[in-house]
Amino acid sequence: MSPRILFVEDDLELAGLIGEFLTRNGFVLHHIDRGDLVEAAIAEHDPDLLLLDIMLPGKDGLSICRDLRPGFTRPIILLTSVGSDMNQVLGLELGANDYVIKTTPPAVLLARIRAQLRQHEAQGGTAPARSSAAAPANILHFGRLVVDAANRDVKLDGHSVILSTSDFDLLWLLASHAGEILSRDTLLKALRGVEYDGLDRSIDVAVSRLRKKLGDDPNEPHKIKTVRNKGYLFVRSGWDA
């Protein structure tokens, strides 16, 4: 039986080109153009692999990957026009098996798809097991703060902190790069797929909101610091006391 691929892409021209190429190479392809239709399409078509754009209407690809992964054991390949290291890290930590840039030659995409299907079959049709060394990446501990990516849960002093999806994504990105300065451009590319234009203050507003929810002093923050002319720094030791 030909392998089934569910392809989620809102660029219809690109979807047509890739879809035709994959069909010619022996795959049964089902295409949808909205992220909020993915779960229903999986139930209907039972795909062997999910090829998933990140920037989608209805629901973005990273959120889909995060929500699907606990129950969807088959390969997920993220396909995006944004060549951001942060997006790759976030996508892989949320459960994606691979990450492919849209400008990748079709033959390379085909090889990556076949490699994921072979690996999945070799593992007995189950999701790739995480090594013990990789497992902690899904749960980050910083003193009184615990950030759980799999369950989208944040606890401070043992109490749950309610965060929006965008606030959690920002926190996870900062916390998973604790001790590193992340620029506004890096954060915007990873979280929204756009470049920083020097005027956009949305990241500053989001960090300020995050600080308030996590009990960081907005006047003299010592947990999520502003590094002048560089960006933001998540401080590992800031959550100890």
Side-chain angles (χ1 to χ4, degrees), residues 46-59:
D46 189 27
D48 297 299
L49 180 142
L50 180 61
L51 184 59
L52 181 63
D53 187 18
I54 286 185
M55 304 300 291
L56 290 166
K59 188 174 183 180

Side-chain angles (χ1 to χ4, degrees), residues 90-182:
L90 190 58
L92 294 171
E93 288 185 346
L94 290 175
N97 300 81
D98 202 356
Y99 186 106
V100 180
I101 308 300
K102 289 182 180 179
T103 53
T104 298
V108 176
L109 173 61
L110 176 64
R112 303 275 278 269
I113 289 172
R114 285 174 171 166
Q116 287 299 330
L117 290 171
R118 284 196 303 270
Q119 182 178 357
H120 181 69
E121 184 177 358
Q123 292 171 337
T126 60
R130 296 184 181 273
S131 68
S132 57
N138 278 328
I139 302 179
L140 302 177
H141 296 263
F142 302 95
R144 300 177 298 115
L145 179 72
V146 180
V147 187
D148 182 344
N151 296 303
R152 306 286 287 184
D153 184 56
V154 178
K155 284 187 169 58
L156 185 62
D157 290 326
H159 301 288
S160 291
V161 179
I162 306 303
L163 298 180
S164 67
T165 296
S166 59
D167 285 348
F168 183 91
D169 290 342
L170 173 60
L171 173 60
W172 179 259
L173 191 54
L174 290 166
S176 61
H177 294 84
E180 300 177 32
I181 299 172
L182 299 185

